[in-house]
Amino acid sequence: MSSRRAVKRIAVVGAGPGGLYLAISLKLRDPSLDVVVHERNRPDDTFGWGVVFSDQTLANLKASDPETAATIEAAFVHWDDIDVHIHDQTVRSGGHGFAGIGRQRLLTILQDRARSLGVDLRFQSEVADVRALDADLIIAADGLNSRVRNETPEVFGVDVDVRPNKYIWLGTTQAFDAFTFAFVQTPHGWIWAHAYQFEPGASTFIVECSEATWRGLGFDGMDQDQTCRAAEALFAGWLGGHALMSNARHLRGSAWLNFSRVACANWRDGKVVLLGDAAHTAHFSIGSGTKLAFEDAIRLAQALTEPGDLEAGLAAYEAERRVEVLKLQSAARNSTEWFETVERYVDLDPLQFAYSLLTRSQRVSHENLRLRDPAFVTRVERWFADQAGAPLTDDPPAPMFAPLRLRGLTLPNRVVVSPMCMYSAEDGTVNDFHLVHLGGRALGGAGLVFTEMTDVSADARITPGCAGMYRPEHREAWRRIVDFVHAQGSRIAIQLAHAGRKGSVERPWGPRADQPLADGWPLIAASAIPWSDEDQTPREMTRADMDRVRDDFVRAAGWADEAGFDMVELHCAHGYLLSSFLTPVSNHRRDAYGGSLENRLRFPLEVFAALRAVWPDDKPMSVRLSATDWVDDGLTSEDSVAIARTFADAGCDLIDVSAGQTSEQARPVYGRMYQTPFSDRIRNEAGVATMAVGNIYETDHVNSILAAGRADLCALARPHLADPNWTLRAAAELGWRGIQPPLQYRAGFAQLVRNMERQSQAGPV
């Protein structure tokens, strides 16, 4: 066990902001430390232009070293506004609280501060073998292309993801008064600039585009001067006659780059510790590279100077910082992918396009934007309400309370109670439990209530407790629930399904939860592949089986219409029967229903067409899809867009976009709103309305998703299990008085509104 006090000599490789700030932080905490910084370049060599600071980053620096923070702050150029230019329109949003500083100015401040504290700065110091340095600990702060890290990438578990877009760092003497995003359409695709002022009369100007656009515009054959002149012509409307410049003169030819996302499984190898970009990178579009490096430096300095065991301290440093880095990298991934797929959004209204851009990382939400710029959010809400056909007022509803029209059906709001299996029916017949369960959510204000997965035959059930629509008495039991939901002002949809290879199992509780039934029914599926090694092997469906299943769906849809349902959804997700045809994970057929995507679609599409033929034309239909299998060689995002587009062409009005549950080998990536990107892509590429699901639980989530055009409805499952009145509570929280609770509940709703108003006035505790 080694003590942190045994570390007296520390070598830092790399004199970028992170390396210098670590040296400063170490000397501030323990002036007796011998800290040497080795930098291969000269003190005034820098290959960037400006560095962006948020208010939060500056607050961290003030807490760590007020003197350095004050010097940096004195050199800042501040701005609050973000301008988005597209289609000859400019959308401005304010209150964002950013500041810029020249990278060279920042380095000079840090160098001066380090020297004043006794740090030994050695420039033009090429370290051939870092492990030979006379130091107790060596910090590799040598950036994205870290030589130290790359000497033993297998030890650090280096994972580099090279992104497809091309970008170049340029500068200009044009002084932008806002952080500027300028989008230009060319015959070869879209190209755009990220521009911001970092000192009086100097701005960073990053140009970005897809590789196809880059090649189409001829940038692949230009040197740096030619690139600057060509970019000047493209962005002349924003440059005001000012030139573009490159400071990468040390490079021959082009200075265009592809961003590399770096992640390391280990940040330490013996006495070598990684810091900043050497350990991790975050895309420049969220401006967090320097922030992460500074925060790494502050935490590592603590780890190296506090009393106690060195190993434990370094382990705690890595564990704590890894969590924060993963959060930033997740946000950066969202931002990166937004710019990589920007052509998906360019046909949005400029106001919605700007909102989508501002919320792209999911770190900025609807209410966060309202705090920054309430007038901008009100403008977005007024536009959204107008598009939805809501009455125009001075107090527009939040997006979640705007109506939605699908064929002849108008939903009073966009909050949906997601289908949730209750396993509480008797031979398919729903009962008082279902009346209270679904009726309670209608009383709670949801615009649309979905039934649980409702099976079209007895052998289509998952468990003996699953709801059905395969006997006349089922229709009458459902009619009772439908009438009650309608009486509360909500609408109700039925989800029709067949469990396929996931059927004939026990309810998901009790000693044999999810185990095959001892006296179960035989199963059918696209192919004779069991769901798991423990489950029954299904029979591969014959044409006769397909005819029977199709007719069962048609009968169920007819009865659903007679019961008064407003919408019917065809369940083609989660590994159930129709899903097992769509995904290559479970469809190994060699006939006309297997192989190509067109063939795998054939039977689900046939069932849908049969339903559409009997379902009233003025009533909408939806289809639930698993947009990805979360497994290699499964459904791709491109497949899902094609599937959604095909259903839309056949008369589908809404795609209910879920993911996974099609294979036991699935490896989903969870997180807030983790399935929403699939809804976003399908909506904006297939051109069909979508419903987003999956870990959506806050009003902010719903409003952000809807306002950005990532979905048209938001479905919540577990939040509605915990709180049947989720929608009424959301209305009270947002101060929306357009919702009408049941007469019997209005006194309670009024009290809830008053309580929330008092809490809001009191502020955070």
Side-chain angles (χ1 to χ4, degrees):
M1 181 180 294
S2 59
S3 168
R4 304 183 206 198
R5 297 188 182 278
V7 176
K8 304 303 288 184
R9 293 169 300 177
I10 298 175
V12 180
V13 180
L20 289 170
Y21 203 76
L22 172 66
I24 292 167
S25 300
L26 287 169
K27 294 293 283 186
L28 283 170
R29 296 181 68 88
D30 186 353
S32 70
L33 287 173
D34 180 8
V35 182
V36 181
V37 178
H38 299 267
E39 170 58 51
R40 62 187 302 189
N41 296 302
R42 294 170 300 185
D44 57 351
D45 282 344
T46 182
F47 310 116
W49 289 93
V51 177
V52 178
F53 279 71
S54 67
D55 291 342
Q56 179 191 10
T57 303
L58 185 61
N60 291 336
L61 297 186
K62 286 180 178 178
S64 175
D65 178 10
E67 182 175 329
T68 302
T71 307
I72 292 172
E73 189 172 20
F76 274 157
V77 172
H78 294 268
W79 70 89
D80 281 330
D81 296 332
I82 295 177
D83 281 353
V84 180
H85 304 270
I86 187 168
H87 297 309
D88 297 322
Q89 294 191 41
T90 300
V91 179
R92 172 166 285 198
S93 170
H96 296 281
F98 285 98
I101 185 173
R103 182 176 172 83
Q104 184 57 65
R105 177 67 179 131
L106 175 63
L107 292 175
T108 299
I109 291 171
L110 297 177
Q111 290 166 15
D112 291 345
R113 179 63 165 155
R115 288 192 186 97
S116 74
L117 294 170
V119 176
D120 183 359
L121 299 181
R122 301 181 184 179
F123 289 94
Q124 295 179 278
S125 173
E126 190 76 59
V127 180
D129 181 2
V130 295
R131 296 175 191 278
L133 289 170
D134 183 19
D136 302 313
L137 208 63
I138 300 159
I139 312 302
D142 53 341
L144 165 65
N145 298 310
S146 170
R147 289 180 59 188
V148 178
R149 181 197 67 217
N150 291 340
E151 284 176 358
T152 55
E154 69 286 349
V155 174
F156 291 111
V158 180
D159 175 41
V160 179
D161 180 16
V162 180
R163 306 305 301 183
N165 274 8
K166 307 293 290 190
Y167 73 98
I168 186 169
W169 289 84
L170 300 174
T172 179
T173 53
Q174 169 71 303
F176 293 94
D177 65 350
F179 196 116
T180 297
F181 293 98
F183 294 83
V184 176
Q185 187 175 20
T186 78
H188 305 285
W190 287 81
I191 188 168
W192 54 95
H194 315 237
Y196 56 90
Q197 188 177 181
F198 61 84
E199 62 187 32
S203 298
T204 298
F205 201 92
I206 306 169
V207 180
E208 184 181 7
C209 61
S210 70
E211 182 166 352
T213 300
W214 178 73
R215 292 188 183 280
L217 292 171
F219 284 119
D220 57 329
M222 298 181 191
D223 62 23
Q224 293 179 56
D225 286 334
Q226 291 168 329
T227 293
C228 289
R229 304 295 82 75
E232 286 169 11
L234 288 166
F235 296 100
W238 296 277
L239 288 169
H242 292 261
L244 290 174
M245 303 168 284
S246 171
N247 64 2
R249 301 297 180 183
H250 64 297
L251 295 177
R252 294 183 179 179
S254 175
W256 288 87
L257 301 168
N258 290 78
F259 179 78
S260 295
R261 192 275 296 139
V262 173
C264 293
N266 305 300
W267 294 6
R268 186 181 175 201
D269 177 19
K271 66 177 185 178
V272 176
V273 180
L274 303 181
L275 179 143
D277 281 356
H280 48 71
T281 59
H283 193 258
F284 60 85
S285 63
I286 65 167
S288 293
T290 303
K291 164 190 165 65
L292 289 175
F294 279 150
E295 291 175 350
D296 280 1
I298 293 168
R299 184 63 186 89
L300 182 55
Q302 292 173 351
L304 296 177
T305 55
E306 291 174 346
D309 177 57
L310 175 64
E311 299 298 322
L314 289 174
Y317 153 72
E318 181 174 339
E320 180 182 318
R321 291 300 303 146
R322 186 180 294 279
V323 171
E324 295 306 310
V325 167
L326 286 174
K327 291 179 182 177
L328 262 294
Q329 286 189 323
S330 176
R333 182 190 65 244
N334 295 334
S335 179
T336 307
E337 291 177 350
W338 191 93
F339 284 105
E340 289 170 354
T341 58
V342 72
E343 298 206 15
R344 181 188 300 170
Y345 308 109
V346 292
D347 290 331
L348 296 177
D349 182 273
L351 181 61
Q352 188 173 40
F353 178 87
Y355 182 98
S356 177
L357 186 156
L358 293 171
T359 60
R360 67 193 181 280
S361 72
Q362 296 184 17
R363 288 197 303 165
V364 177
S365 66
H366 195 74
E367 293 308 310
N368 184 268
L369 267 181
R370 195 190 304 277
L371 288 174
R372 300 177 185 214
D373 189 346
F376 174 78
V377 172
T378 298
R379 182 181 170 195
V380 170
E381 291 179 341
R382 184 170 290 112
W383 172 86
F384 194 93
D386 181 52
Q387 297 297 305
L392 292 180
T393 66
D394 292 335
D395 183 24
M400 65 188 296
F401 292 115
L404 177 67
R405 185 174 180 83
L406 298 169
R407 297 197 182 224
L409 173 66
T410 298
L411 303 178
N413 63 61
R414 299 183 185 226
V415 180
V416 178
V417 177
S418 194
M420 296 175 282
C421 288
M422 295 289 106
Y423 308 105
S424 301
E426 297 296 332
D427 192 17
T429 304
V430 291
N431 50 47
D432 286 351
F433 173 86
H434 300 85
L435 173 66
V436 174
H437 167 63
L438 296 173
R441 276 74 194 163
L443 286 167
L448 179 64
V449 177
F450 264 92
T451 71
E452 63 192 86
M453 173 175 159
T454 304
D455 302 305
V456 298
S457 62
D459 63 350
R461 294 173 295 167
I462 307 170
T463 76
C466 289
M469 185 67 97
Y470 52 86
R471 292 165 44 192
E473 49 265 45
H474 295 163
R475 173 186 54 198
E476 303 313 312
W478 278 119
R479 191 198 307 272
R480 177 176 175 233
I481 294 172
V482 169
D483 289 345
F484 184 87
V485 169
H486 282 161
Q488 314 318 312
S490 295
R491 308 294 182 264
I492 185 166
I494 187 169
Q495 185 189 72
L496 296 179
H498 191 299
R501 66 181 185 142
K502 296 177 78 172
S504 194
V505 297
E506 298 281 359
R507 293 173 174 86
W509 49 72
R512 298 195 69 254
D514 296 320
Q515 296 300 303
L517 293 167
D519 56 349
W521 50 87
L523 303 180
I524 55 175
S527 297
I529 303 171
W531 170 250
S532 73
D533 293 339
E534 297 178 350
D535 284 294
Q536 179 190 149
T537 299
R539 184 182 80 251
E540 180 171 297
M541 289 179 70
T542 64
R543 182 62 249 184
D545 293 326
M546 294 181 196
D547 291 342
R548 178 177 68 84
V549 168
R550 179 201 60 213
D551 293 346
D552 288 344
F553 272 99
V554 169
R555 179 191 61 218
W559 284 349
D561 179 41
E562 293 172 11
F565 280 100
D566 302 294
M567 186 166 81
V568 63
E569 176 166 284
L570 183 63
H571 200 337
C572 295
H574 298 170
Y576 298 121
L577 183 70
L578 298 180
S579 172
S580 75
F581 275 86
L582 290 175
T583 171
V585 169
S586 53
N587 186 341
H588 294 183
R589 300 178 71 99
R590 297 181 178 276
D591 61 5
Y593 299 94
S596 68
L597 179 60
E598 180 183 5
N599 284 356
R600 301 198 310 272
L601 252 168
R602 194 182 303 273
F603 181 58
L605 198 60
E606 178 184 324
V607 174
F608 178 87
L611 293 190
R612 185 72 270 180
V614 299
W615 191 245
D617 189 60
D618 66 334
K619 290 186 178 183
M621 286 184 64
S622 63
V623 172
R624 177 165 248 194
L625 296 177
S626 286
T628 178
D629 295 318
W630 299 114
V631 298
D632 294 336
D633 301 321
L635 282 174
T636 66
S637 296
E638 291 78 11
D639 290 338
S640 299
V641 172
I643 291 169
R645 186 179 290 118
T646 302
F647 276 115
D649 290 343
C652 178
D653 305 286
L654 179 78
I655 300 294
D656 179 356
V657 186
S658 188
Q661 302 181 56
T662 59
S663 169
E664 282 211 317
Q665 282 69 53
R667 294 295 178 265
V669 180
Y670 292 113
R672 291 181 308 130
M673 304 176 278
Y674 71 105
Q675 294 178 154
T676 300
F678 302 116
S679 167
D680 183 340
R681 180 167 189 175
I682 287 173
R683 181 185 189 273
N684 291 300
E685 291 188 13
V688 59
T690 61
M691 181 163 72
V693 304
N695 211 17
I696 299 168
Y697 53 88
E698 293 181 355
T699 57
D700 228 9
H701 297 166
V702 177
N703 286 323
S704 299
I705 289 168
L706 296 173
R710 307 180 80 193
D712 300 274
L713 292 170
C714 286
L716 295 81
R718 292 176 185 178
H720 274 121
L721 289 179
D723 183 3
N725 298 312
W726 190 92
T727 310
L728 290 179
R729 190 176 299 278
E733 176 187 332
L734 296 174
W736 174 242
R737 304 296 176 262
I739 197 166
Q740 291 297 319
L743 287 170
Q744 302 90 328
Y745 286 8
R746 289 185 185 176
F749 180 69
Q751 180 66 59
L752 178 62
V753 170
R754 290 193 295 271
N755 291 346
M756 289 193 167
E757 286 177 345
R758 281 196 292 267
Q759 291 173 8
S760 176
Q761 292 166 2
V765 178

